[in-house]
Amino acid sequence: MAYVLWSRHLKFDPSAPQWFDRDRFILSAGHGSMLLYSLLHLAGYDLGIEDLKQFRQLHSRTPGHPENTHTPGVEMATGPLGQGVAHSVGFAIAEQYLSAKYPGLVDHYTYALCSDGDLMEGVASEAGSLAGHLSLGKLIWLYDDNGITIDGTTALSFTEDVGKRFEAFGWHVQTIDGMDLSAVDAAIVAAKADPRPSLICAKTVIGFGSPKLAGTNKAHSNPFGADELAATKAALGLPNEPFYDPEEAHLAFAPAVQRGQEAHQKWASAVAGTDLETLLSGIELDWSNVLPVISDKIATRKSSETIIQALAPVLPGLIGGSADLAESNLTHQKGFGDFSPSLPGGKNINFGVREHAMAAAVNGITLHGGTRGYGASFLIFSDYARPALRLSALMECPSIFVFTHDSVGVGEDGPTHEPVEQLTSLRAIPNFNLFRPCDGNETAAGWKVALRSTKTPTLLALSRQALPAVSPATPGDHPAEKGAYVLSEAEDAVITLIGTGSEVQHCLAAQKTLAEDGIVARVVSMPSWFLFDQQTDDYQESVLGEVLTISIEAGSTLAWPRYADVCLGIDRFGLSAPGDLVMKELGMTPEAIVEAAKALVAGV
Ligand SMILES: Cc1ncc(C[n+]2csc(CCOP(=O)(O)OP(=O)(O)O)c2C)c(N)n1
Ligand SMILES: [Mg+2]
């Protein structure tokens, strides 16, 4: 399948792996990474036989599972099953959107090669359902239907009619003999022609050629051993030579390379001087003019809504939406239409109640380039999206996630809807910028950081409830961009109060009360640990001060000892009641800070 696709269909230029209008190929079954490395090698990418010999070794360009940050020509990291296919939906959305906006300049297919495991995963169904609904006609999944997974045959656990499932999703489905090259070719031709997304169920044999292991789960990962290897090569008519790399195998891809390079050249002259070229060269905004000043006492989700309206007309590549909570997340770009088959240039995507596929699609949109994806839901449901959030960080993919209702302040919906451990658990992901602003102007700073980021995803954790404007009204140049800063300085302070998000206001109130009692406190707002940790030691020390520290955040205290001597937070599930009452009941108040500060200063 891969051979036919790469040699007869795939549009690519190995000398320019990032050429914008290439077809995208995603090896969703990432455990077959050597297949991808072999294709890249044979097709002339900068991946030599020496790289292949370093397979799975330290610092090699051929890691155990494909990683886009390590290997030219690898579009995304795959290995966690289901992710590749789910991300491919985002790539296809981006293509459909851009081809509507820049007709003639964007016109390529998105292919994903997937396995039984990929299609067993729930996220593949979410993604397949979304792709069918959106009629993503240039999305093609080749299903390596070999009837085998690690534990045995699919008879053990996977017996539904996969084709019928995808037909029900609105896909074009074909079933073929995947070992028959002309059948594969014909199926790809038909898939390209059909206006629906296409699934090619290709019956194949795992470990083909191996006399003892073909068609068994042992072929998945058991080492063959020297004898079986020799027997397999003999059966396939290959010499028994390690890393046998004949010239004619490369030549088989030469026509495809030539086609791709010609297409690339044609595209390069067509794109010159167009709006697409401007978009791809990167738009740097005049931030202080674009971002609004927000001085009202409103929810940070509401501030974000205002900011999104300011960004919508100036960022043509910014597309995204919510998992059926747009009314609550306030992520709609008003007047820019809903993305659909009849309006492929619409900037708002209705992801439906599919948080996991949404996050994956947002990454795909962002990785595609030309587009920047954002997705939204309640913070509590970040758990439903987490595998894709983690991948965004690992892939250095600067997706934007707008997760609102960021605390027990949610209130009446109760503990099932009240995030407690999510802030801490998301901060634990390396290269992941969790940003929890305290007011509208910090929210604008968060959006700016998110949009300027090139290698780090950003999650904006926004409040449901109104928060007073307390931070500097300096859009475009806000101290929150450093992750943490002194919001209220005090000479001869004996204590630093650190807050995030909705708790910053309580730090300011507590500071006043403490001053009346002769205890001088300073207040630090810390919307992002990630950004703060990147500042110089001097800056960090200047913010934290050489005094006692108390932190307050409506969430788990587990990690806060990193910054604070005393950590106020919520280490239990929440409660169903009006949000302000729940906050009070669980100790998120100025009074609690005052009490803790007095005890700390008194050395109790
Ligand atoms: C989310 C996830 N769960 C489990 C695994 C471990 N794993 C790797 S491959 C595989 C299944 C292999 O079967 P299949 O997907 O059909 O691939 P094949 O062996 O046929 O190539 C599993 C369970 C994984 N990579 N990702
Ligand atoms: Mg299989």
Side-chain angles (χ1 to χ4, degrees):
M1 268 193 292
Y3 163 71
V4 172
L5 176 64
W6 278 62
S7 63
R8 301 190 198 168
H9 294 276
L10 201 71
K11 182 170 75 166
F12 63 95
D13 178 354
S15 63
Q18 295 296 315
W19 166 38
F20 188 69
D21 202 30
R22 68 192 181 280
D23 287 339
R24 305 304 195 265
F25 174 78
I26 295 161
L27 182 69
S28 192
H31 55 274
S33 57
M34 185 45 88
L35 168 66
L36 179 54
Y37 301 146
S38 303
L39 289 164
L40 292 168
H41 171 66
L42 292 170
Y45 284 78
D46 174 21
L47 199 67
I49 195 76
E50 292 308 317
D51 289 308
L52 269 61
K53 289 181 183 172
Q54 290 302 309
F55 188 42
R56 297 166 74 103
Q57 298 307 307
L58 191 64
H59 302 314
S60 84
R61 300 204 295 164
T62 49
H65 293 89
E67 294 177 54
N68 55 315
T69 52
H70 282 55
T71 318
V74 172
E75 302 286 355
M76 64 169 289
T78 51
L81 290 165
Q83 294 299 333
V85 282
H87 280 65
S88 76
V89 171
F91 282 89
I93 288 174
E95 196 276 344
Q96 189 151 313
Y97 172 77
L98 291 169
S99 66
K101 278 197 94 69
Y102 308 100
L105 295 174
V106 183
D107 184 10
H108 56 261
Y109 290 89
T110 301
Y111 297 97
L113 202 160
C114 60
S115 63
D116 299 302
D118 278 305
L119 297 188
M120 281 191 211
E121 289 291 351
V123 71
S125 280
E126 287 184 25
S129 166
L130 180 61
H133 168 76
L134 293 173
S135 272
L136 300 175
K138 286 155 95 176
L139 177 65
I140 298 172
W141 292 2
L142 299 115
Y143 166 28
D144 179 29
D145 185 0
N146 62 18
I148 291 290
T149 62
I150 290 182
D151 279 354
T153 73
T154 45
L156 285 174
S157 58
F158 191 46
T159 44
E160 85 234 17
D161 187 328
V162 172
K164 280 197 181 138
R165 171 155 63 104
F166 278 78
E167 270 169 20
F169 290 155
W171 285 54
H172 164 236
V173 176
Q174 302 171 82
T175 300
I176 59 161
D177 174 0
M179 310 304 282
D180 176 343
L181 302 191
S182 54
V184 173
D185 186 46
I188 295 174
V189 169
K192 284 159 88 173
D194 196 279
R196 296 165 291 178
S198 292
L199 178 72
I200 301 172
C201 301
K203 302 276 179 202
T204 61
V205 179
I206 191 169
F208 178 73
S210 163
K212 290 208 181 109
L213 305 180
T216 74
N217 57 329
K218 292 203 170 66
H220 171 91
S221 53
N222 282 32
F224 273 35
D227 289 351
E228 188 62 14
L229 202 55
T232 304
K233 288 184 178 179
L236 293 172
L238 296 170
N240 192 11
E241 240 179 74
F243 295 98
Y244 175 59
D245 186 27
E247 186 55 24
E248 58 261 48
H250 292 257
L251 287 177
F253 293 89
V257 172
Q258 197 185 337
R259 269 197 314 275
Q261 293 186 327
E262 281 166 14
H264 182 187
Q265 275 169 16
K266 229 172 115 187
W267 181 86
S269 40
V271 81
T274 64
D275 288 350
L276 178 63
E277 191 184 48
T278 311
L279 179 75
L280 296 181
S281 63
I283 296 173
E284 183 62 20
L285 297 178
D286 177 2
W287 293 98
S288 44
N289 279 325
V290 169
L291 293 174
V293 173
I294 297 170
S295 41
D296 304 331
K297 180 176 179 181
I298 52 174
T300 49
R301 64 180 166 130
K302 189 87 188 138
S303 299
S304 170
E305 181 185 39
T306 305
I307 295 157
I308 288 171
Q309 306 323 309
L311 296 170
V314 290
L315 292 177
L318 183 68
I319 61 172
S322 165
D324 198 45
L325 289 169
E327 295 283 306
S328 298
N329 306 140
L330 303 176
T331 42
H332 202 76
Q333 302 184 48
K334 293 174 190 166
F336 287 87
D338 283 4
F339 178 81
S340 73
S342 57
L343 190 63
K347 294 186 82 183
N348 297 288
I349 302 166
N350 294 300
F351 289 108
V353 192
R354 304 182 183 96
E355 296 82 6
H356 196 177
M358 169 180 72
V362 164
N363 293 344
I365 290 167
T366 303
L367 288 170
H368 180 278
T371 40
R372 177 64 82 80
Y374 68 90
S377 181
F378 290 157
L379 182 61
I380 191 73
F381 303 132
S382 61
D383 288 345
Y384 274 57
R386 189 171 175 106
L389 300 182
R390 179 175 192 273
L391 265 192
S392 70
L394 188 151
M395 297 189 295
E396 301 184 351
C397 166
S399 295
I400 302 170
F401 300 101
V402 182
F403 281 101
T404 68
H405 297 59
D406 69 346
S407 73
V408 299
V410 164
E412 289 88 343
D413 275 341
T416 59
H417 283 52
E418 292 170 348
V420 172
E421 75 282 17
Q422 279 67 25
L423 296 170
T424 293
S425 113
L426 289 162
R427 284 188 188 115
I429 302 177
N431 188 39
F432 192 83
N433 184 12
L434 175 87
F435 194 101
R436 185 170 188 250
C438 76
D439 69 1
N441 294 321
E442 279 196 4
T443 307
W447 265 104
K448 178 186 165 193
V449 169
L451 286 163
R452 294 193 73 194
S453 170
T454 55
K455 291 192 168 173
T456 302
T458 304
L459 185 152
L460 300 170
L462 305 179
S463 73
R464 174 199 179 201
Q465 71 275 30
L467 302 178
V470 295
S471 84
T474 52
D477 183 23
H478 195 285
E481 290 170 34
K482 289 201 159 87
Y485 63 99
V486 181
L487 177 59
S488 176
E489 190 55 282
E491 235 175 87
D492 302 324
V494 294
I495 197 158
T496 298
L497 309 176
I498 309 172
T500 81
S502 49
E503 286 65 68
V504 170
Q505 57 178 326
H506 300 328
C507 294
L508 291 168
Q511 181 191 37
K512 271 201 190 123
T513 312
L514 287 168
E516 286 159 17
D517 289 344
I519 298 175
V520 181
R522 53 209 286 284
V523 174
V524 166
S525 176
M526 190 182 271
S528 166
W529 289 26
F530 175 81
L531 296 173
F532 184 59
D533 288 350
Q534 287 170 31
Q535 308 305 319
T536 62
D537 288 351
D538 282 355
Y539 179 79
Q540 294 192 29
E541 278 159 28
S542 77
V543 170
L544 296 173
E546 283 173 6
V547 291
L548 298 166
T549 45
I550 294 182
S551 67
I552 180 163
E553 178 174 80
S556 158
T557 61
L558 185 69
W560 273 102
R562 176 184 186 133
Y563 297 118
D565 300 307
V566 169
C567 312
L568 304 178
I570 302 174
D571 292 304
R572 49 158 288 176
F573 292 118
L575 295 160
S576 172
D580 50 347
L581 291 185
V582 178
M583 281 286 200
K584 272 199 189 108
E585 181 75 15
L586 299 179
M588 295 297 100
T589 60
E591 294 75 29
I593 303 172
V594 169
E595 194 184 318
K598 285 183 177 168
L600 187 60
V601 170
V604 177

